[in-house]
Amino acid sequence: MLLIKNGRVIDPTSKTDSHADVLIDKGKIAKIGAGISAGDAVVLDAANCIVAPGFIDMHCHLREPGGEISETIQSGTQSAARGGFTAVCPMPNTHPVNDNASVTRAILERAAAISPVHVWPIGAASKESKGEQLSEIAAMQQAGAVAVTDDGKPIASARLLRQVMDYCRPLNLPVIDHCEDSSLAAGGVMREGPHSIRLGLKGMPAAAESICVGRDVEVASLTGARLHIAHMSARGSLEHVRNAKRRGLSVTCEVTPHHFTLIDEDVRYDSHFKMNPPLASREDRDALLEGLADGTVDAIATDHAPHHPASKDVEFDRAPFGITGFETAIALALEQLVHANRISLMRMVELFTIGPAKILGKESKLHTGAPADITIFSTERDWTYHTVESPGLSRNTPFDGRKFRGGPVATIVGGKIVYRN
């Protein structure tokens, strides 16, 4: 048995916010209450810490199979556990692409053998994510895929998107889209504006994203399918989602910590500031913060995208898009959202737990009898993020050396402590 003592329990499902102990037995929550004693239990003192349902990252890249020089399922999930996540959803743009049940099963079997956290794969919407033919969607779902996407690029056409949605609707499977009008974004390496001109870098306009979000919302209205917008970065995109929710459509969205923290003015000629969608204008970032506060945004996701230095430490134009994100997500959310008084702790926990859980058809709660997947974090601990301490294989982040107030303290999966600071 494991007994978590003296923590502040926050559970958005039951709206609980109180000091209590949590007793875990045989991988499940056995009891929650004040002054619990269990003589033979291992005690984890959570004084001055938040005890929350396990955090879920519904958008990440583990690079295996095919990209093991940058990350593996083992190294990536160890990094996720260090970041406080109890479950992660790897995107399908691996080599080979996760577009059939064999690849889905291989990922799950590998994860079952070496991952400290749950791995819920997301399958490709089209074969090899080429945007031409539907992938084996039903077979992948039966194998364990929790959604489909052609992430890394948008689903190629409205016609194909309609086919994917028509197929996924009776399966109650969410369709996730990386929204980007390829013709508008072509050749862009950062957000178009005065700062792209200053740096001499080709920009992609915010409209490249919002035009595609508008397309997707209309196809979702046409089909009645579930649509989720990945890593949203533009004010216009947020307005499309807000209007879709008002219309009663099943449309959700996520925002990454780097998009609600940094803006295009922060970009330097350093590929660690190169991500897709690119860092947005101050006005767009402020719109995202507003959406996180007012409930328009459903989830925070990292888009953890590791790249080996051999590919990332090159000229800005030549470097691949993406940064790592597991280990700084909670700290950035605390810094930008909670300590800045933009949202409550309850809302922050919701964005990492029941927000993504509802989209993926999972549960996330601290109830007696529930699986003991738990994230414990501090809101006050001063620490500095050093990439050299990470179990991940890549170091591509603009947050190396950043000082934080608050972060992960312990991660518990199935009643087992898989990370402890």
Side-chain angles (χ1 to χ4, degrees):
M1 287 192 291
L2 174 65
L3 179 58
I4 304 170
K5 293 284 290 183
N6 308 313
R8 177 182 168 188
V9 174
I10 294 182
D11 179 14
T13 301
S14 59
K15 301 300 182 187
T16 298
D17 185 348
S18 63
H19 285 82
D21 302 335
V22 180
L23 180 64
I24 296 168
D25 186 25
K26 297 176 182 175
K28 294 190 175 182
I29 297 172
K31 189 175 182 181
I32 301 174
I36 296 175
S37 61
D40 54 347
V42 174
V43 175
L44 195 164
D45 187 0
N48 302 315
C49 291
I50 308 300
V51 179
F55 282 17
I56 300 165
D57 186 2
M58 65 175 296
H59 187 153
C60 70
H61 302 268
L62 298 180
R63 303 301 187 207
E64 185 177 356
E68 290 84 352
I69 191 172
S70 296
E71 195 75 288
T72 64
I73 291 173
Q74 183 173 36
S75 65
T77 53
Q78 287 175 343
S79 177
R82 187 180 176 89
F85 292 100
T86 61
V88 298
C89 299
M91 290 288 149
N93 51 342
T94 49
H95 304 284
V97 173
N98 181 18
D99 63 359
N100 62 79
S102 295
V103 178
T104 305
R105 281 194 291 268
I107 291 170
L108 285 169
E109 288 169 4
R110 179 76 173 143
I114 47 88
S115 172
V117 305
H118 301 295
V119 174
W120 299 331
I122 293 175
S126 65
K127 289 185 178 178
E128 298 183 59
S129 290
K130 288 184 174 178
E132 296 170 355
Q133 297 176 280
L134 294 188
S135 62
E136 299 176 11
I137 293 175
M140 285 191 293
Q141 184 186 32
Q142 290 171 1
V146 294
V148 295
T149 183
D150 278 346
D151 186 59
K153 52 190 175 184
I155 294 176
S157 68
R159 177 185 174 85
L160 180 67
L161 179 63
R162 181 179 186 177
Q163 292 174 337
V164 172
M165 287 186 167
D166 279 339
Y167 198 94
C168 288
R169 186 185 63 253
L171 300 175
N172 195 29
L173 194 66
V175 178
I176 301 174
D177 205 15
H178 166 128
C179 287
E180 176 185 314
D181 184 292
S182 301
S183 62
L184 272 180
V189 295
M190 68 172 290
R191 180 56 52 85
E192 181 180 288
H195 301 287
S196 65
I197 295 172
R198 173 176 58 84
L199 291 170
L201 295 170
K202 183 172 174 54
M204 57 177 88
E209 176 185 289
S210 56
I211 286 172
C212 191
V213 174
R215 178 201 76 167
D216 286 12
V217 167
E218 290 309 312
V219 179
S221 176
L222 181 67
T223 61
R226 298 170 58 201
L227 168 68
H228 178 76
I229 308 299
H231 45 44
M232 203 168 57
S233 71
R235 176 186 292 274
S237 305
L238 191 75
E239 282 305 309
H240 282 303
V241 172
R242 189 172 278 132
N243 290 332
K245 289 177 182 284
R246 289 180 184 139
R247 292 164 61 188
L249 303 179
S250 183
V251 176
T252 55
C253 67
E254 72 192 31
V255 170
T256 75
H258 48 276
H259 283 113
F260 65 64
T261 300
L262 301 173
I263 58 176
D264 58 353
E265 296 173 34
D266 297 311
V267 175
R268 302 195 297 270
Y269 203 77
D270 174 346
S271 65
H272 292 167
F273 289 85
K274 183 178 179 182
M275 57 282 284
N276 192 12
L279 296 174
S281 68
R282 185 179 300 276
E283 292 74 20
D284 282 333
R285 192 271 305 271
D286 290 348
L288 299 181
L289 292 171
E290 183 181 337
L292 286 158
D294 69 15
T296 305
V297 176
D298 300 272
I300 294 174
T302 70
D303 193 11
H304 174 83
H307 292 288
H308 190 269
S311 64
K312 193 68 168 175
D313 294 346
V314 297
E315 293 89 342
F316 199 99
D317 296 58
R318 295 174 53 214
F321 292 103
I323 64 171
T324 59
F326 286 141
E327 296 171 44
T328 51
I330 292 178
L332 288 171
L334 287 168
E335 175 189 279
Q336 296 295 317
L337 305 178
V338 177
H339 294 324
N341 295 317
R342 291 190 171 100
I343 66 173
S344 66
L345 262 177
M346 179 72 77
R347 172 65 176 152
M348 185 192 115
V349 173
E350 178 183 56
L351 286 160
F352 279 109
T353 57
I354 62 172
K358 285 181 178 177
I359 296 164
L360 299 168
K362 302 286 187 179
E363 288 194 334
S364 177
K365 58 186 179 182
L366 283 181
H367 287 187
T368 300
D373 297 337
I374 296 173
T375 296
I376 301 175
F377 64 96
S378 164
T379 60
E380 301 299 328
R381 178 175 67 90
D382 292 326
W383 65 291
T384 302
Y385 177 55
H386 296 296
T387 57
V388 294
E389 298 172 357
S390 172
L393 299 184
S394 295
R395 304 285 182 260
N396 50 302
T397 170
F399 300 118
D400 187 22
R402 191 178 180 108
K403 295 181 179 178
F404 289 112
R405 174 182 158 208
V409 170
T411 307
I412 298 168
V413 178
K416 178 182 177 183
I417 299 173
V418 297
Y419 169 74
R420 186 171 183 179
N421 181 276

